[in-house]
Amino acid sequence: MNTLKTLQSLSSKNDFSPLLKLAIPLVITGVIQSSVGFLQTIFLARLGESTLAAGALVSLLFFALIVLYFGTFSSVNILIAHKYGANDHRGISLVLRDGLILAIALTISTFLLLWNMSPIFLLFGQKKELVGLANLYLHGLAWGLLPKFILIVLFEFIIGLGHARTSMIFTMISIPLYIFFSYVLILGKFGFPELAIAGAGWGMSIGDW
């Protein structure tokens, strides 16, 4: 009886340890990524209430889209993990190929959506001034969609291979770029043009590229 309990305990530890190794880097990655939106909000707050409100409107919309797309692209890491476990290298390459094709297709449709959000915002009762500011932000964001979606697919590919720590390290290196470009373009620092709320979108897009 004691032997059985010992074996069950060892089995539980053996299952739990790999899970932690995968989960902890993903949690850290999510926390680091959230700092970009937080700091952008602080930068935009310095430009007035209308700019801050427009930034919040865009952030909510973009966050909803990214959550939707992360859910869609998460299928890549699941399929990659299955193929990797089966030692099916050709299957892995086909899943990655299809994921990249999906990223390009979603880039086109999402670009058109972000570029033409004005009528939708107005339909839901947003003020014209607010919509005009939100448009500047969205148009800047739209140009970074292609690298953003490709990066998501590649992150899911890496996670599917069990290398979540690589994704975390890449995020830790890239996040300062998002923050830097957002800061200098929103507020016009270090000789960069002051683009105000448009700078938030362009800062993210430059960081993505």
Side-chain angles (χ1 to χ4, degrees):
M1 191 68 178
N2 289 333
T3 304
L4 180 60
K5 287 183 178 180
T6 302
L7 288 173
Q8 288 176 339
S9 177
L10 287 172
S11 176
S12 178
K13 288 180 180 178
N14 289 336
D15 290 340
F16 194 60
S17 179
L19 183 62
L20 278 179
K21 287 181 180 179
L22 185 64
I24 290 174
L26 294 178
V27 171
I28 293 173
T29 299
V31 171
I32 295 171
Q33 287 176 334
S34 67
S35 66
V36 177
F38 174 74
L39 290 172
Q40 274 200 341
T41 300
I42 293 176
F43 303 152
L44 292 175
R46 298 174 64 176
L47 303 178
E49 292 181 5
S50 295
T51 301
L52 183 59
L57 183 63
V58 172
S59 294
L60 288 172
L61 170 67
F62 202 64
F63 177 76
L65 289 175
I66 290 299
V67 168
L68 177 64
Y69 293 147
F70 258 112
T72 302
F73 290 129
S74 66
S75 60
V76 172
N77 87 61
I78 296 169
L79 292 171
I80 291 289
H82 278 293
K83 300 296 183 183
Y84 183 65
N87 202 29
D88 181 2
H89 299 295
R90 174 170 168 74
I92 291 173
S93 65
L94 291 176
V95 171
L96 179 59
R97 180 202 66 185
D98 292 345
L100 293 173
I101 292 172
L102 178 62
I104 294 169
L106 287 176
T107 294
I108 296 169
S109 58
T110 309
F111 185 96
L112 293 173
L113 174 65
L114 296 188
W115 206 264
N116 297 282
M117 277 299 298
S118 292
I120 300 174
F121 281 149
L122 292 171
L123 181 65
F124 283 95
Q126 298 296 331
K127 297 179 181 178
K128 286 187 177 180
E129 177 193 3
L130 207 63
V131 173
L133 291 171
N135 260 346
L136 294 174
Y137 193 165
L138 287 171
H139 288 178
L141 278 175
W143 293 106
L145 290 173
L146 178 60
K148 184 181 292 294
F149 288 168
I150 288 176
L151 277 174
I152 293 174
V153 171
L154 293 178
F155 281 155
E156 296 297 333
F157 166 70
I158 291 169
I159 292 167
L161 296 178
H163 301 302
R165 187 178 297 179
T166 303
S167 174
M168 180 189 72
I169 293 170
F170 186 87
T171 300
M172 292 175 69
I173 294 171
S174 63
I175 288 301
L177 293 176
Y178 290 108
I179 295 171
F180 173 76
F181 284 115
S182 295
Y183 174 70
V184 299
L185 291 176
I186 290 172
L187 302 175
K189 301 294 183 179
F190 307 118
F192 285 83
E194 184 179 344
L195 300 180
I197 192 170
W202 283 108
M204 291 294 291
S205 288
I206 293 172
D208 285 329
W209 281 103

